[in-house]
Amino acid sequence: MNSTSTLWNYALASRYETPAHPATEKVKTGLSALWKRFWPINSQGSADEEDSECRPLSEMALAEIMPESHWDAAANALTVQLNPWVREKTPDSFMQAVIGPPGSGVSEVVTRWGNQASARLLLPPDPARLFDPGSDYWQGAELGTEGILVIPELERFYLRHSDGFDLIRQLVELLWTSPRKIVVGCDSWAWAYLCNTVKIDAAFRMPMALESLSGDALRAWFRPRPRGRYFVRTAGNGELIYPIESAEDAARNVKDGTPENQEQQYKGADVFQRIAAMSRGIPEVALALWRECLCEGEAEANRHESRAAL
C-alpha cells in the first residue's frame, strides 16, 4: 500500500493491498451503509439538521478545492520503475504489462509514459473491426521495428464474443515474435480474463500496478491549494480537517504527505481512511467520493468553507 513519502508508486501487482477501515469503526457493507455513512439519519427518520442544511458545492468552488490532474505525476512514478528495464539490453522478458482496476488510470498513465519515452503508440481499432479484422490487419498497422511499442488499452483489442477474439490472438502471436520491447496497459479484470483465455501472461514479466492510496496519501493529495479561499471542516463538530498554513508549509506537506509537526494531529483523520477503504485505494474512485462528500451551508458559503460530510 502507498506510503506517505510519495503519493504515486508502482510495484508488482501481486503485492497490491487494499486499505483497511479505521480501527474505531465497525466495518459495514452494502449500499445502504455507505449512504448512511455520508448522510446520517436521526431518530425521526430525516437527515440531521446540520447536514440537511449542507448543499453541494458549486462548480467554481469545486474547481478551487479539488486536486489537479495527477496522471503526469503517476507517469513519472512509472518511469522510475521502468527505467532499469528500458536501459537493459537483454532483459529476462521484452514485454511488460501495467494493469489496474477501473479508476486507476492505466491507459492515461501508460499513454503519457509512452509519449515521454518517444515510443510508438498502438491505439485500439474501431469496435466493428474486431468481428472481422482480416489476416492483413497487422501488416497495415505500421508497427515499425525500432524503439519501444506501447499499447495503452489492451482490453479494447477483443470482445467477449465467439467472433471477437481473432485480433487479440493475432496480437499475441505478434508479441511472441517481436524483437522489440513492448509495454501494454490493461484493465486488471480484462487481464485476468485474457490470462485464462489466450494465456497472454506467459510472454510477460510480472505485471505492475499503481499502489493503493492510503488515508494519509489521500489527505496529502486532497489538501486545498495554498492561499486558497476555502478550507475544510468536519460536518459533525466543525473542526478543521486541515490546519491553516502558509504556502511553504502546504508545498512541503504535499511532498512529504505528513504534517511537519508530528505532534500536531489533524482532525477528521478517519475521513480519509474511510475514503481509502471504501475506494479500495483507487485514485479516481477516491476522488469521486471526496467530491461527493464536500458540501457547504449558507454560513459556510459566505465564509468560503466546506464540510466533509463523512
Side-chain angles (χ1 to χ4, degrees):
M1 186 167 58
N2 197 304
S3 67
T4 57
S5 58
T6 55
L7 292 178
W8 314 105
N9 293 298
Y10 279 84
L12 293 178
S14 59
R15 298 179 181 175
Y16 190 89
E17 297 179 4
T18 56
H21 284 263
T24 57
E25 177 185 83
K26 181 180 179 180
V27 177
K28 299 179 181 180
T29 59
L31 291 176
S32 60
L34 176 63
W35 180 257
K36 290 177 182 177
R37 186 176 295 154
F38 277 101
W39 302 106
I41 303 299
N42 62 24
S43 58
Q44 282 71 41
S46 60
D48 289 339
E49 182 178 352
E50 183 176 14
D51 287 334
S52 66
E53 299 172 356
C54 202
R55 60 174 182 247
L57 292 178
S58 67
E59 290 300 319
M60 182 179 298
L62 285 170
E64 184 170 332
I65 294 176
M66 298 298 288
E68 297 176 350
S69 173
H70 51 283
W71 298 138
D72 287 337
N76 292 336
L78 183 60
T79 297
V80 171
Q81 290 296 323
L82 291 185
N83 265 348
W85 173 75
V86 170
R87 290 194 295 263
E88 193 173 350
K89 292 184 178 180
T90 56
D92 54 349
S93 173
F94 280 75
M95 286 172 276
Q96 175 67 61
V98 180
I99 67 174
S104 58
V106 172
S107 63
E108 292 89 345
V109 173
V110 172
T111 297
R112 281 168 169 76
W113 180 87
N115 288 330
Q116 292 175 7
S118 299
R120 168 76 170 91
L121 264 62
L122 180 62
L123 302 181
D126 184 280
R129 190 70 188 270
L130 295 175
F131 284 110
D132 186 23
S135 59
D136 61 343
Y137 178 87
W138 294 110
Q139 295 177 9
E142 299 180 359
L143 298 180
T145 58
E146 301 295 328
I148 300 173
L149 177 64
V150 174
I151 307 175
E153 298 178 277
L154 185 66
E155 67 272 11
R156 293 179 59 189
F157 281 83
Y158 78 98
L159 293 174
R160 296 184 66 167
H161 184 279
S162 58
D163 296 327
F165 275 88
D166 288 345
L167 195 65
I168 193 68
R169 288 194 176 100
Q170 294 172 14
L171 177 59
V172 171
E173 293 178 6
L174 182 68
L175 296 180
W176 270 104
T177 59
S178 175
R180 67 198 301 188
K181 290 179 180 177
I182 299 172
V183 176
V184 304
C186 188
D187 179 298
S188 56
W189 298 352
W191 180 260
Y193 181 73
L194 291 174
C195 289
N196 287 328
T197 54
V198 296
K199 310 300 180 186
I200 196 169
D201 55 325
F204 282 80
R205 303 171 79 218
M206 289 292 291
M208 304 185 72
L210 181 68
E211 290 186 345
S212 63
L213 297 180
S214 66
D216 286 338
L218 291 180
R219 175 180 178 259
W221 183 28
F222 294 160
R223 182 182 299 276
R225 295 176 181 83
R227 303 188 190 280
R229 297 182 302 158
Y230 286 85
F231 49 97
V232 185
R233 299 179 182 272
T234 59
N237 53 25
E239 293 179 320
L240 280 171
I241 290 181
Y242 291 101
I244 300 175
E245 57 195 353
S246 67
E248 293 76 14
D249 289 339
R252 186 183 305 109
N253 286 336
V254 168
K255 178 181 178 182
D256 296 340
T258 55
E260 181 181 13
N261 182 359
Q262 294 292 340
E263 295 181 359
Q264 180 184 0
Q265 296 295 323
Y266 60 91
K267 304 300 182 180
D270 280 359
V271 169
F272 300 103
Q273 193 58 39
R274 287 176 183 173
I275 293 176
M278 287 189 287
S279 66
R280 300 179 66 83
I282 301 170
E284 289 296 288
V285 180
L287 195 62
L289 288 173
W290 179 241
R291 179 187 178 101
E292 288 300 315
C293 73
L294 289 174
C295 61
E296 66 181 359
E298 183 175 353
E300 285 132 340
N302 295 330
R303 296 195 306 265
H304 297 299
E305 299 178 12
S306 296
R307 303 187 211 167
L310 265 174

